[in-house]
Amino acid sequence: MPLRQYVYFALSSRRVTAQEITDLLGIEPDETRVINPRRLPADPAKPFCQVWKVVCREPGLHVDEQIARVLGRLRPQTDRIAELMKQFNSAEDEGEPGLEAWLEVVRYFNDDEQEETGQPQEGEKHNLFGWALDREAIEFLAATGTLLDVDEYDMTPDARTAG
């Protein structure tokens, strides 16, 4: 079964810019994103937000290996990330959080556009479907107040639409 997957750690904020996060952590992101940069009064449901990401899209790695690569870059700044989370999410700040952190796992099954496969290749002991979080990853998530989110999508074409 074809499988495409990637992992990223993200910090997002409505008060802190991606550049400020970079400056505060001393880590260059792989990607940044601005959501609704024009904050239209007519659409308050889509608030302005900036996202700072460290990403691993390397094919052929298990999810836990991709997570290890991402967290390997962040682990030296674990205390600083935890400090920023506390600083921007203090009890004095009512309502929405000032800074959110999450570790995102994204997997696409039956993705015919991708060459990577979840089946074991010659010489492999196991396939790419299974994964686990090790103690170090769990400790990082707990220390930094990071949410783990796993999105999995079945890309199998719907048999009813075929033909």
Side-chain angles (χ1 to χ4, degrees):
M1 170 186 314
L3 170 66
R4 178 171 50 105
Q5 58 192 16
Y6 61 95
V7 169
Y8 66 86
F9 173 84
L11 291 169
S12 67
S13 180
R14 292 187 174 96
R15 291 186 276 176
V16 185
T17 68
Q19 184 59 55
E20 289 171 322
I21 292 170
T22 300
D23 294 344
L24 290 166
L25 292 180
I27 300 171
E28 285 294 325
D30 295 316
E31 299 174 10
T32 60
R33 182 173 173 212
V34 178
I35 301 169
N36 195 20
R38 294 189 181 174
R39 191 177 217 176
L40 301 173
D43 192 2
K46 293 183 178 179
F48 170 82
C49 181
Q50 290 203 24
V51 183
W52 178 99
K53 294 181 183 181
V54 171
V55 184
C56 180
R57 296 181 189 276
E58 188 170 333
L61 296 178
H62 294 259
V63 168
D64 41 344
E65 293 170 315
Q66 290 178 324
I67 290 171
R69 296 226 175 149
V70 168
L71 297 187
R73 289 180 54 198
L74 299 167
R75 202 166 275 115
Q77 292 295 344
T78 300
D79 292 341
R80 185 68 178 133
I81 294 168
E83 182 182 310
L84 293 175
M85 291 294 288
K86 288 178 186 169
Q87 176 184 342
F88 290 106
N89 296 309
S90 68
E92 300 163 4
D93 296 328
E94 298 290 326
E96 67 186 45
L99 187 64
E100 294 181 284
W102 71 94
L103 181 65
E104 186 81 29
V105 175
V106 182
R107 306 178 86 196
Y108 295 92
F109 298 94
N110 295 307
D111 187 356
D112 291 332
E113 295 180 20
Q114 185 63 26
E115 293 179 19
E116 183 176 342
T117 179
Q119 299 301 321
Q121 300 299 311
E122 190 174 324
E124 277 189 344
K125 294 182 182 174
H126 54 284
N127 62 39
L128 295 177
F129 295 122
W131 61 279
L133 290 177
D134 63 20
R135 185 179 318 271
E136 287 182 356
I138 293 169
E139 289 171 354
F140 174 87
L141 298 177
T144 58
T146 298
L147 170 81
L148 172 63
D149 184 31
V150 179
D151 293 340
E152 296 185 329
Y153 303 97
D154 182 355
M155 304 303 285
T156 305
D158 188 347
R160 291 174 283 166
T161 61

